[in-house]
Amino acid sequence: MKKIICLVVVVVSLLSVSVCVNAAVMTKEQQNELTNLSIMTGDPNGDLRLNDTITRAEAIKMICVAGNIGTSVIETNAYPDVPENHWAYSYIAAAKANGLVNGDENGNCNPENDVTNEEIVKMLDCLLGYEPMASTLSGYPAGYTAVAAKIGLTKDMCFSVDTPAIRNDVGILI
C-alpha cells in the first residue's frame, strides 16, 4: 500500500511540474547575485542569454561554484568524452567525485549536450543532500522531481518533462 501511495504522489508531482508554462522570471537582483558570485557569466557582451538552453558542462560549472565544490582534488579521467583540456574538465571531474553527476549508459558525460530539466533538478537535489530521499521515491527522474517539489526547490517553477532546461530557470533554481 505504501508503494502505491508513493507512486501516486510521484505521478501527481510530475504532472504538476510538466503542465504549466514558464511563470518564473529571474529578477535583476538574482542576475546580479549570480554574476557577482561568478555562478553565471554572460557572453562577451555580458548578456546572460536567459532564454537560451544550457549545456551539461555549463550547468555543472554553475552547481560547483554555487555549492563551493572545490576543483583541486578531482577524479582524473572522470569521463572518456571529457578530455583534460576541456574548459569544464575540473568542474565535471569534481561533480562526479562528489556524486552530483553520473555518466550515461556508456559512461560518458556528454558535456556539450543540453541539460534537461530533470537532470538539473537531480544535480541540485544531490548537492543539497536529498539523494537518499529521492532514491526511496523511485529514483531518477520521478523521485528527484518529487523531492524538489517537496522541499520547495521548484516552487513557482514550471517545467516540461524531457526538455532542455533554459538558463533563466537554472539560474532561479540555483
Side-chain angles (χ1 to χ4, degrees):
M1 188 64 172
K2 279 185 173 180
K3 288 183 180 180
I4 292 172
I5 292 171
C6 285
L7 183 60
V8 169
V9 168
V10 168
V11 169
V12 169
S13 294
L14 275 175
L15 289 175
S16 67
V17 169
S18 63
V19 294
C20 51
V21 292
N22 287 338
V25 177
M26 193 184 315
T27 66
K28 284 291 183 193
E29 184 178 280
Q30 289 170 318
Q31 292 176 37
N32 290 337
E33 188 171 354
L34 290 170
T35 55
N36 290 341
L37 295 172
S38 299
I39 294 169
M40 183 179 268
T41 56
D43 63 18
N45 297 324
D47 183 2
L48 294 178
R49 303 180 346 265
L50 297 177
N51 294 317
D52 290 357
T53 58
I54 186 168
T55 67
R56 290 176 51 80
E58 291 170 326
I60 290 168
K61 180 258 182 185
M62 289 173 64
I63 288 173
C64 284
V65 173
N68 202 26
I69 304 293
T71 58
S72 59
V73 179
I74 58 172
E75 181 176 330
T76 57
N77 301 319
Y79 294 104
D81 65 331
V82 184
E84 288 188 36
N85 64 350
H86 188 281
W87 73 267
Y89 176 83
S90 60
Y91 295 111
I92 292 167
K96 181 179 181 187
N98 283 278
L100 304 180
V101 294
N102 299 317
D104 65 13
E105 63 277 356
N106 298 317
N108 291 316
C109 176
N110 304 304
E112 302 312 316
N113 289 0
D114 288 334
V115 70
T116 65
N117 291 317
E118 297 92 334
E119 290 169 336
I120 194 68
V121 165
K122 179 197 181 282
M123 290 178 207
L124 287 167
D125 281 351
C126 291
L127 176 67
L128 296 171
Y130 287 100
E131 183 173 19
M133 183 187 292
S135 294
T136 64
L137 294 174
S138 77
Y140 181 80
Y144 289 93
T145 303
V147 166
K150 180 179 177 110
I151 64 172
L153 183 65
T154 55
K155 185 177 189 281
D156 298 328
M157 302 288 298
C158 301
F159 299 113
S160 296
V161 177
D162 201 28
T163 301
I166 61 168
R167 295 175 64 84
N168 174 78
D169 294 344
V170 172
I172 291 171
L173 288 170
I174 290 176

